[in-house]
Amino acid sequence: MSARGMRYGSAVLVVALAALAAGAVFGRSNREDVIMVYLLGIVIVALRFGQGPSLVAGMLSVLTFDFFFVPPYLTFAVHDVRHVVTFAVMMFVAVVISSLTERAREADMRRAEIEGERLKTTLLSSVSHDLRTPLAVMTGAASALLDPASESLSPEDRRHLLSTIYEEGERLGRLIRNLLDISRLESGAVHIKKEWCPIEEIVSSALSRLETRLGDREVRVDVGDDLVAPVDVVLIEQLFVNVLENAAKYAGEDSPIEIAGRRVGDRMFVEIADRGPGFAPGDEKRVFDKFYRGSHQSAPGAGLGLAIAKAIATVHEATLSVANRPGGGATVVLALPIEGAPPPSPLGEVP
Amino acid sequence: MTNESAAPVTVLIVEDEPSMRSFLRASLTSHRYRVLEAESGQYGLQLAASHGPDVILLDLGLRDLDGVEVARRLREWTQTPIIVLSARGREQDKVEALDAGADDYLIKPFGMAELLARVRVALRHKAALAQSGEEPLFTVGELRVDLAKRQVFRGSDEIHLTPIAFRLLAVLVRNAGRVVTHRQLLRDVWGAKATDTHYLRVFMGQLRQKLEPNPSKPRYLMTESGVGYRLKEDNGS
């Protein structure tokens, strides 16, 4: 049955129940009480099923009330004019309540639309700033180099302008990549491809991608070569990269980073901890919000790294949480469910 | 190492974006490569047949033909190295192109240094293929692999590998500098029927434990996430 048919069917059912209940409880002697029960039925239909069904409920109420409760019984004939007034009131209530609920429903939808628009505008304004700035710098630097007067620039100045164009291009590329990633993850357009993989391989691959970002800081890895989990390798590597990048950005250059992994029952935990300033109070939830950059507004980046990491955890049905460490520093923990076991080795020799 | 040999090395660019072609042309000609350009897959196939380039740069996002299909058709008659140019996040496309016979890939956006390094690796590999079957000694950092004698050294210590681990390393050594897909490794080490990447990854982890000074920060055996592995070379990539 269609949703529409369902709503009308429910309206008929509610009226039938109201008639039955009224008849059983009050009988024909207390018509005022019966009318109250009918009105209650109409109100319920109007609130739950909307305008059309509530008008139908009104009409059915009038008809069944007339048929069962108004003498002569079991006919639609009416002898007393007073009852016609009752019918009119019933219909009136049905019409008024249904139009009131309809209006409330419309107002709700409009409010949701406005909320959505406002959210979009905030996102758009923070994105457009981040998009425009590098574009403006690139266009400006390139136009300066194209200008005939640039002949007089020193080679160092020309080089400087060129490297600015290059760096801003890189920055723009990163931002666009992040925006695409987050929208693909959140719209459910990402198909995850789970494979059993040693976590050490993923961690090491993430670390080598971040080689220059991490610099000389100490990175301790305690994962163990036998910790394996079914994950989308590319996405989980991205998660580690984002969390590590975040630690490198906020924890300061001297802070060591510790990565520890272990399996407890059917869950795997990977913890990435630093000795930086930690999260400000109240930031624990908000750090995963898009475009949230904590109290460190001066730090570079659009505030998407941890939001993407969280979205990747979510598509794995895993959780990502943050906390401050005793003794100072921040820790980010990935808790990932492990289902099943890796397939048996078809490759002969076991290492 | 620039392209200094007497006969210029010819690179065929198959790419439909004019600005991308001009960047590639500028980078390559300034390093004395000769450049051929095709803006479609069909024309690229024609130029490859008529001019016999030394390396082919192939965009995977062509409008007329699927880049993977172009790679497959080229491989029907030529072993010219193919480097595919692809967008990030399309691991499957890259893997398909590599399994169809492409030699390596570059993820857009890439810089000139990366491009030249990949081209050099491809050319070197082509030259090595053309040589006689004698297997050279491979060294990178402290690592030394003698394929003929089946010996592996880290510094002065000989490292003993199980037969399968050695076969795995040998495939990577023969393709040093290039990416080797999971499927190629499974096929070359375990045979055509092997498909499960999990144990390949476990063996790779073991190989790292034995060869890398710090297995969680590998210097030689690099992971190409979602694609395969690449053994680093001293110069170039």
Side-chain angles (χ1 to χ4, degrees):
Chain A
M1 200 194 287
S2 68
R4 195 182 143 84
M6 199 78 123
R7 291 199 340 255
Y8 281 93
S10 307
V12 174
L13 192 68
V14 170
V15 174
L17 286 174
L20 267 177
V25 177
F26 301 112
R28 283 169 179 154
S29 49
N30 297 315
R31 267 198 293 273
E32 290 76 13
D33 296 321
V34 169
I35 290 169
M36 294 311 287
V37 175
Y38 266 111
L39 288 179
L40 182 67
I42 294 171
V43 171
I44 290 172
V45 172
L47 290 175
R48 287 292 309 276
F49 308 112
Q51 201 159 23
S54 92
L55 293 179
V56 168
M59 273 187 290
L60 278 178
S61 298
V62 168
L63 289 175
T64 53
F65 179 67
D66 179 10
F67 196 74
F68 293 114
F69 298 97
V70 173
Y73 299 122
L74 305 181
T75 69
F76 289 111
V78 183
H79 287 170
D80 194 335
V81 185
R82 272 189 319 155
H83 294 306
V84 179
V85 177
T86 307
F87 299 160
V89 168
M90 274 180 155
M91 269 323 284
F92 181 71
V93 167
V95 170
V96 168
I97 297 212
S98 68
S99 70
L100 279 178
T101 54
E102 193 63 21
R103 229 177 291 165
R105 200 194 305 266
E106 274 170 16
D108 266 354
M109 273 162 60
R110 216 169 312 140
R111 202 173 310 131
E113 257 171 45
I114 293 170
E115 273 299 305
E117 278 304 313
R118 192 177 302 145
L119 192 65
K120 259 189 241 161
T121 319
T122 333
L123 294 193
L124 211 59
S125 68
S126 72
V127 173
S128 62
H129 170 80
D130 288 321
L131 286 174
R132 276 204 197 110
T133 313
L135 265 181
V137 176
M138 289 164 76
T139 319
S143 71
L145 285 166
L146 285 170
D147 191 285
S150 73
E151 305 288 334
S152 60
L153 283 175
S154 69
E156 296 87 74
D157 287 343
R158 298 177 64 88
R159 238 197 116 62
H160 181 71
L161 283 173
L162 285 168
S163 63
T164 307
I165 294 175
Y166 179 74
E167 278 155 23
E168 293 298 317
E170 294 248 285
R171 191 167 120 191
L172 200 55
R174 266 199 306 276
L175 174 63
I176 289 171
R177 208 159 63 207
N178 283 341
L179 284 172
L180 289 177
D181 280 354
I182 193 89
S183 53
R184 275 175 44 217
L185 283 161
E186 288 191 341
S187 66
V190 171
H191 300 286
I192 68 168
K193 183 178 153 214
K194 283 191 183 176
E195 291 170 295
W196 284 89
C197 183
I199 296 305
E200 191 179 35
E201 174 174 309
I202 306 177
V203 168
S204 68
S205 178
L207 286 174
S208 48
R209 263 175 68 186
L210 288 170
E211 216 171 340
T212 40
R213 295 296 305 275
L214 292 170
D216 291 333
R217 86 178 64 230
E218 188 188 349
V219 180
R220 281 194 287 273
V221 183
D222 176 20
V223 170
D225 53 2
D226 55 350
L227 183 64
V228 294
V231 293
D232 184 302
V233 177
V234 178
L235 288 178
I236 292 293
E237 180 185 308
Q238 189 62 49
L239 182 153
F240 288 147
V241 164
N242 289 11
V243 173
L244 287 164
E245 226 171 8
N246 203 69
K249 198 188 290 178
Y250 293 114
E253 288 185 10
D254 306 324
S255 163
I257 293 177
E258 290 157 45
I259 305 168
R262 64 188 190 282
R263 182 171 174 167
V264 180
D266 54 2
R267 279 159 90 75
M268 177 193 74
F269 296 89
V270 180
E271 189 175 340
I272 296 173
D274 63 52
R275 285 288 176 200
F279 294 102
D283 266 4
E284 290 91 342
K285 283 256 153 33
R286 299 196 59 197
V287 288
F288 294 118
D289 290 353
K290 288 190 285 269
F291 306 109
Y292 186 70
R293 291 160 56 192
S295 40
H296 315 269
Q297 289 290 333
S298 57
L304 283 171
L306 287 185
I308 291 171
K310 179 84 172 179
I312 291 173
T314 305
V315 297
H316 279 85
E317 283 152 11
T319 59
L320 195 65
S321 54
V322 302
N324 284 327
R325 297 171 81 185
T331 161
V332 181
V333 181
L334 170 72
L336 186 119
I338 298 184
E339 263 175 51
S345 170
L347 307 178
E349 173 192 350
V350 171
Chain B
M1 184 175 88
T2 45
N3 171 31
E4 282 158 357
S5 50
V9 173
T10 306
V11 181
L12 168 63
I13 301 169
V14 188
E15 161 71 73
D16 53 7
E17 285 295 332
S19 49
M20 197 66 197
R21 280 204 307 276
S22 78
F23 153 62
L24 294 170
R25 186 197 316 124
S27 302
L28 291 166
T29 49
S30 69
H31 285 77
R32 281 178 252 154
Y33 289 96
R34 202 160 75 91
V35 170
L36 295 168
E37 293 177 41
E39 72 288 341
S40 70
Q42 288 292 1
Y43 189 46
L45 286 168
Q46 273 178 39
L47 279 184
S50 57
H51 287 70
D54 299 290
V55 180
I56 299 170
L57 299 180
L58 172 64
D59 177 37
L60 282 187
L62 295 170
R63 271 183 273 269
D64 65 326
L65 267 181
D66 183 13
V68 176
E69 180 59 27
V70 176
R72 201 171 286 130
R73 290 200 202 167
L74 284 167
R75 277 293 167 266
E76 286 168 5
W77 60 273
T78 175
Q79 286 305 310
T80 305
I82 302 170
I83 301 172
V84 296
L85 315 177
S86 107
R88 194 193 72 104
R90 310 288 306 254
E91 273 72 22
Q92 202 45 46
D93 292 359
K94 276 175 291 195
V95 171
E96 273 176 34
L98 292 166
D99 284 336
D103 292 72
D104 215 329
Y105 65 86
L106 278 161
I107 301 172
K108 293 179 186 175
F110 51 82
M112 188 179 74
E114 247 181 301
L115 165 72
L116 295 174
R118 289 281 187 279
V119 169
R120 281 197 298 267
V121 168
L123 287 169
R124 203 157 45 233
H125 189 74
K126 187 186 175 202
L129 272 185
Q131 273 175 5
S132 59
E134 196 175 309
E135 311 231 56
L137 195 69
F138 173 84
T139 55
V140 57
E142 285 192 309
L143 201 63
R144 195 152 49 89
V145 184
D146 188 333
L147 288 180
K149 290 189 187 150
R150 302 181 70 85
Q151 281 178 319
V152 182
F153 294 91
R154 201 175 94 196
S156 53
D157 303 332
E158 180 166 5
I159 292 170
H160 296 280
L161 296 177
T162 62
I164 284 186
F166 184 82
R167 271 207 321 260
L168 188 56
L169 181 61
V171 176
L172 289 165
V173 165
R174 288 192 194 102
N175 291 283
R178 301 197 312 165
V179 64
V180 188
T181 64
H182 293 130
R183 193 155 128 208
Q184 287 165 349
L185 283 166
L186 284 166
R187 190 192 56 211
D188 290 0
V189 177
W190 286 279
K193 282 190 189 146
T195 53
D196 179 38
T197 58
H198 170 238
Y199 278 87
L200 169 59
R201 295 177 201 271
V202 172
F203 272 97
M204 199 54 131
Q206 295 295 320
L207 204 52
R208 283 199 177 113
Q209 296 289 340
K210 290 195 165 176
L211 303 184
E212 294 281 356
N214 180 357
S216 56
K217 282 180 97 176
R219 281 158 54 190
Y220 313 128
L221 298 162
M222 310 311 288
T223 302
E224 297 273 327
S225 185
V227 177
Y229 300 96
R230 185 193 302 271
L231 177 62
K232 268 216 171 168
E233 284 191 310
D234 265 339
N235 50 359
S237 71

